[in-house]
Amino acid sequence: MAEYTTTNPTTGRTDKEFTTLDSAEVERVLDRSHAAFADWRATSTQERASLLERVADAYAERSRELGELIAVEMGKPLQQAIGEAELAGSIYRWYADHGPELLQPEQLDPQGAQESRVQTEPIGPLVGVMPWNYPYYQVARFVAPNLMVGNTIILKHAEICAGSSEVMAQILHDAGVPRDAYANVFASHDQIADMIADPRVRGVSLTGSEKAGAAVAETAGKHLKKSVLELGGSDPLIVLDDGDLEQVARTVATARLSNAGQACNSPKRIIVPTARLEAFVATIVESFESATLGDPLDEDVDVGPLSSVGARDGVVEQVRRAVQQGATLHTGGQALDRDGAFMQPAVLTGVTEDMDAYAEEIFGPVAVIYGVDSEDEAVTLANDVDFGLSGSVWSTDLERAQAVADRLDVGMAYINEHGTTLPGLPFGGVKRSGFGRELGRWGMGEFVNVRLRRTSAA
């Protein structure tokens, strides 16, 4: 059954089909990952770090090739795609540089003994379930820290990213990571559920939808497995009344159009002072209408297609329904009459809490802009959804902005920037945006056994 299919979202043409594992292959993957764990965990931390350094070098050397691959595979504009490959490489390099130190035993207050110390140990084979919107970056966030720790990995990528997932496996194996320490699998959802339930697998990380996260968490919880979930987001971006609204508006427009709006932590709900709303909307509309749409391999293109026609049609329907329910559409919102998964970026205002667009995530090039009359109203609106991935506050008064940011119910709060991701910073959300953290030292701490060794005199 060819569930894994590479279809170019620019042309709509299917380039290649891949076949999923059969039941016997699932068993072999589990056996090999389990068997490889003993040797991989026994590999010195310096050797594991050296291998990750080689992986980082490969991402740097092959960044354009890797960027071109996902531009064709899921529609990311080329410069953004190259930047993503470089970011993924920087994550592998960060763990190569910092991993051995983070795995050193920690000496505690002996509290009456000769010594009390904590050792950090791997727990075993892990399953990773990854999304299509950032094919390299999402994998690196999960893979780099866990290979560094000494866990083995079974990686299931999104069905539309089969080609890039094969290349990622090749890079890791060419760098010296044993083939059974990192296995790329074209597995069905049922097969992944069976893997998570298998006693040889000790944990699972998923980045994806709420529905997928709930299903994975249910299976993991039933079998007492640790899980980390990074799910949806409907990030608020608050502009205070002392902000440079035109500059912020242009920054917001660029951020919202990046990757055709297909980012969990993109600023999806933009909150500005009512007195400045009209001018702010006008700047966003002008930026959206002047953006160049087209083939993501064209370096002059700002916005490529969405990942698939189905994804595009879903976003178009969300915009149509918002207008039907009473929202104001200032520009765009329609599918383009051409091959591929293109839509005209849209700007909405007048969305109220009784409309679907108020609470749901819009995973596409759509800006929803609200006007408010006070900081308190802005914070209430920002927190009045079930998501809590990240949020930002924009102001020239940093203390004031920090005070507002501290009131946001999110996992990551930014001042005068939005969605920044760096290898040493924790990434993750609260509420229905998931639980657990990736990146930095926090990413090293999710799938480990924190083992106490205490020594007292005989």
Side-chain angles (χ1 to χ4, degrees), residues 94-394:
W94 193 92
Y95 283 103
D97 292 342
H98 298 279
E101 178 186 355
L102 291 172
L103 291 173
Q104 287 295 311
E106 179 184 357
Q107 297 293 339
L108 306 179
D109 177 355
Q111 299 177 74
Q114 287 192 343
E115 180 189 61
S116 293
R117 77 174 191 168
V118 166
Q119 299 165 304
T120 301
E121 300 176 340
I123 62 172
L126 307 175
V127 168
V129 182
M130 297 294 117
W132 48 260
N133 58 330
Y134 287 88
Y136 304 126
Y137 162 67
Q138 304 276 12
V139 170
R141 280 194 337 208
F142 167 62
V143 169
N146 284 298
L147 284 180
M148 186 65 240
V149 165
N151 294 315
T152 57
I153 291 171
I154 300 168
L155 199 287
K156 179 223 175 291
H157 217 313
E159 286 82 350
I160 69 172
C161 291
S164 57
S165 70
E166 285 188 327
V167 172
M168 281 183 273
Q170 174 217 333
I171 288 173
L172 285 159
H173 297 153
D174 287 351
V177 175
R179 290 189 173 273
D180 293 333
Y182 180 90
N184 176 62
V185 298
F186 298 143
S188 69
H189 297 290
D190 288 343
Q191 288 171 333
I192 289 298
D194 290 342
M195 289 183 185
I196 296 170
D198 191 282
R200 287 166 289 191
V201 168
R202 297 308 312 145
V204 57
S205 179
L206 174 138
T207 299
S209 68
E210 293 174 82
K211 181 179 178 181
V216 162
E218 180 180 10
T219 303
K222 181 179 178 181
H223 296 277
L224 300 179
K225 308 288 180 68
K226 176 68 181 291
S227 62
V228 169
L229 303 179
E230 197 269 279
L231 308 177
S234 189
D235 285 12
L237 183 149
I238 298 173
V239 188
L240 299 183
D241 55 18
D242 66 338
D244 184 339
L245 264 72
E246 181 170 353
Q247 179 182 346
V248 175
R250 297 197 182 280
T251 300
V252 167
T254 300
R256 195 67 193 103
L257 295 180
S258 178
N259 201 30
Q262 300 167 122
C264 297
N265 61 338
S266 179
K268 300 189 178 78
R269 294 178 299 128
I270 302 146
I271 303 167
V272 302
T274 300
R276 310 278 298 277
L277 177 62
E278 184 176 346
F280 192 92
V281 169
T283 301
I284 296 285
V285 168
E286 188 275 328
S287 296
F288 274 29
E289 291 181 344
S290 64
T292 302
L293 278 66
D295 187 339
L297 289 174
D298 182 343
E299 297 197 30
D300 292 327
V301 160
D302 301 308
V303 185
L306 278 75
S307 63
S308 68
V309 170
R312 187 272 314 275
D313 290 347
V315 176
V316 168
E317 171 59 21
Q318 285 179 295
V319 173
R320 186 201 66 79
R321 192 167 63 246
V323 173
Q324 184 183 51
Q325 293 173 346
T328 299
L329 177 65
H330 295 265
T331 189
Q334 70 277 9
L336 298 190
D337 185 17
R338 57 174 292 179
D339 292 337
F342 294 91
M343 72 168 284
Q344 192 67 39
V347 177
L348 291 170
T349 60
V351 172
T352 59
E353 61 184 4
D354 57 334
M355 300 178 188
D356 295 336
Y358 183 85
E360 65 189 3
E361 179 178 24
I362 301 180
F363 212 62
V366 180
V368 181
I369 307 175
Y370 298 85
V372 295
D373 295 321
S374 68
E375 288 180 13
D376 287 344
E377 187 180 351
V379 171
T380 298
L381 177 60
N383 291 336
D384 193 27
V385 293
D386 291 334
F387 296 108
L389 188 54
S390 72
S392 63
V393 181
W394 298 70

Side-chain angles (χ1 to χ4, degrees), residues 41-109:
R41 72 176 299 179
T43 303
S44 72
T45 56
Q46 289 299 337
E47 176 63 15
R48 295 199 294 264
S50 177
L51 299 183
L52 293 188
E53 188 74 24
R54 293 181 208 167
V55 173
D57 290 343
Y59 273 85
E61 293 163 4
R62 300 175 63 177
S63 61
R64 186 175 186 89
E65 170 202 346
L66 295 170
E68 290 174 348
L69 175 56
I70 61 172
V72 171
E73 195 172 57
M74 50 71 63
K76 193 185 300 289
L78 183 58
Q79 290 306 311
Q80 296 175 31
I82 292 171
E84 182 190 335
E86 292 171 342
L87 174 59
S90 74
I91 293 170
Y92 286 104
R93 199 174 306 281
W94 193 92
Y95 283 103
D97 292 342
H98 298 279
E101 178 186 355
L102 291 172
L103 291 173
Q104 287 295 311
E106 179 184 357
Q107 297 293 339
L108 306 179
D109 177 355

